[in-house]
Amino acid sequence: MQFARIALIGAAVFWTAVADLGARDGPKDWTVLENCRLIVNPANDGDSFHVSAGAKEYIFRLYLVDAPETDEMTPGRLVAQAKYFEITVPQAIEVGRAAKEFTREKLSAPFTVFTRMSDAMGQSRLERFYAFVQTKEGDLGEQLVRNGLARNYGFKAVPPGLRNSRVEMEKLQQFENEARQEKIGGWGVNIGRLNAPAGVSGPFSHFGSNQKPQGLGRPAASPSFSSTPRPPAQTAPGGTPNPNKSHPKANTPLGKIDINTATEKELTTVPGIGHVMAARIITARPFRSADDLRRVSGIGDKKYAQVRPYFQ
């Protein structure tokens, strides 16, 4: 009898511990939050944003996709994103800001969130969770990738309605390949084909209102894209190419800035370089290499170590 009592107590302790572990890890089943609204917040970007669901506020980070950063606060990540899209760091920031506007426009109407409350490790006072987000036009991550505003890269999960993540990842890769081939979004920023969301300066061309995603508890359907033409490369008045549009040099390493040709706008995207310092750098040209930044007034050893990695 005593042995049986001890065994029962031990089992109770074991299952209590398991329950606590499950609570920390989040529920295994998907939590579906409907009629969600985007909360305007400066920290929002293309793949991470504040959301209200009823009376509660959350921060969600999209599964499986990664949009470029919108500022220079995470330089290592920005350089990696720029290399992926084969563009410069300032251009990556430009793509990130376009992705942020795209997400803001797509989430201007109520949307649905699918989450398991898995920790996405944000820096806000609010905990951030991974999620799939369903808009009236389909899965938000798919829309970002198809328009060249995010890469098929990120924390993996099996979407609701699917048996494994491979199906969705292959679909995202197909969308990325198509965006790259069509040179849109980050893949077309060098030729002026970084589109803007509807209501900003022109409509994105893909994922019309008839688009249905696979998984996420919705019927699967083949992709159906709008035939709205994309805008041509930016031109100056008179139809000639805009001379102020920056393009990376053929011999510039991916993600790096050319010290002798960078514009003031590009220079000020580097952490530690403001408008005054950018003007000094431009005045001090030409440089034999970026190592000569040391001779610019105001760039000491500490500043040099901070900014040098951004230049070829």
Side-chain angles (χ1 to χ4, degrees), residues 93-294:
I93 292 175
E94 185 181 358
V95 175
R97 290 173 178 172
K100 176 178 179 177
E101 286 302 304
F102 178 91
T103 292
R104 182 193 60 78
E105 191 272 332
K106 295 299 179 184
L107 300 186
S108 61
F111 53 91
T112 302
V113 171
F114 296 80
T115 181
R116 283 178 168 164
M117 299 299 181
S118 297
D119 186 11
M121 299 177 294
Q123 298 180 348
S124 171
R125 62 178 178 80
L126 288 176
E127 190 174 4
R128 186 171 68 160
F129 303 108
Y130 284 107
F132 291 101
V133 173
Q134 183 84 2
T135 75
K136 63 182 180 179
E137 297 176 352
D139 179 70
L140 178 59
E142 292 177 2
Q143 295 174 67
L144 284 163
V145 172
R146 185 61 184 89
N147 284 281
L149 298 175
R151 54 180 175 163
N152 179 14
Y153 179 95
F155 194 84
K156 297 177 177 60
V158 180
L162 295 180
R163 300 183 65 178
N164 58 62
S165 61
R166 179 180 56 81
V167 174
E168 183 65 15
M169 291 174 65
E170 289 178 352
K171 185 178 182 183
L172 287 170
Q173 189 59 54
Q174 175 189 342
F175 288 161
E176 182 177 304
N177 292 343
E178 291 171 356
R180 185 201 296 259
Q181 183 177 10
E182 295 171 11
K183 292 182 170 53
I184 56 175
W187 308 109
V189 67
N190 289 328
I191 57 173
R193 296 178 77 173
L194 177 58
N195 296 342
V200 178
S201 61
F204 279 92
S205 59
H206 291 289
F207 282 88
S209 59
N210 61 343
Q211 173 66 20
K212 299 291 185 181
Q214 293 182 353
L216 303 179
R218 300 291 191 272
S222 300
S224 176
F225 304 123
S226 169
S227 59
T228 305
R230 287 175 293 277
Q234 292 185 8
T235 57
T240 57
N242 189 339
N244 296 321
K245 184 69 178 179
S246 61
H247 299 279
K249 303 303 179 186
N251 61 350
T252 301
L254 299 180
K256 301 281 187 173
I257 297 174
D258 187 319
I259 187 63
N260 284 314
T261 62
T263 64
E264 181 183 2
K265 178 181 177 182
E266 290 175 324
L267 289 170
T268 55
T269 64
V270 175
I273 295 182
H275 292 285
V276 173
M277 186 60 67
R280 291 177 182 174
I281 291 172
I282 292 172
T283 302
R285 289 170 177 168
F287 297 91
R288 290 175 299 176
S289 74
D291 295 338
D292 289 341
L293 279 167
R294 293 180 184 276

